[in-house]
Amino acid sequence: MGYQFLGLYLIEPLIARVTSGGLPDVSAFRPLVGNEAQLVFWLAMSWTLAAFMEELVYRGWITNRLAELWRFSTNGWIAGVLASSALFGVVHLYQGPSGMIATGLSGLVFACVYLATDRNLWASILAHGFMDTVGFLMIYFGVYPGL
């Protein structure tokens, strides 16, 4: 949760300034503000499709397959982490350039959590899920930056 607040109030504004763009575009989630049904829907989606499935694909599969190409060497793990994090950012391009970069950095954090916990995928799933939950709660209460 600490990384989320650091990201929202320091990293994302810095990325926006460097890229000459705005904050990540989360306008697609604007109907969630004050809407309990939308909150329940997006929390369910974030825990199943985002936290569980994305971590399974990006950290559990892509990172490991790339590390395997280098026989699970240190360089292989570094390549896997960097490539999966970059790809994770690219698929979030709908948030604009700053959102793509910020999400790629979040992917890097999730990958570090994954490796720091001896490749415990549940650790990165929980980190991802809690980060999304806090974000959706902030949107629900109308306090998410740039909303």
Side-chain angles (χ1 to χ4, degrees), residues 1-125:
M1 200 156 55
Y3 174 76
Q4 177 148 12
F5 288 105
L6 180 68
L8 288 174
Y9 297 106
L10 180 66
I11 296 171
E12 288 179 8
L14 181 61
I15 292 169
R17 181 173 294 171
V18 170
T19 62
S20 300
L23 292 172
D25 180 8
V26 293
S27 61
F29 301 107
R30 194 167 286 126
L32 168 62
V33 176
N35 185 326
E36 290 177 24
Q38 286 279 313
L39 177 62
V40 170
F41 172 79
W42 285 112
L43 287 176
M45 294 298 285
S46 70
W47 278 97
T48 55
L49 295 180
F52 186 77
M53 291 304 295
E54 285 182 348
E55 292 308 306
L56 189 67
V57 170
Y58 291 97
R59 264 50 76 185
W61 195 80
I62 294 173
T63 301
N64 281 281
R65 294 302 63 82
L66 291 173
E68 184 177 33
L69 289 175
W70 281 277
R71 298 186 177 163
F72 299 103
S73 67
T74 300
N75 287 339
W77 285 110
I78 291 170
V81 163
L82 293 177
S84 67
S85 299
L87 185 59
F88 185 67
V90 169
V91 300
H92 290 82
L93 183 58
Y94 70 92
Q95 294 180 8
S98 63
M100 180 182 71
I101 294 168
T103 303
L105 290 174
S106 293
L108 187 60
V109 169
F110 299 147
C112 289
V113 167
Y114 174 65
L115 293 179
T117 59
D118 204 24
R119 296 193 320 256
N120 182 341
L121 196 56
W122 285 109
S124 62
I125 290 169

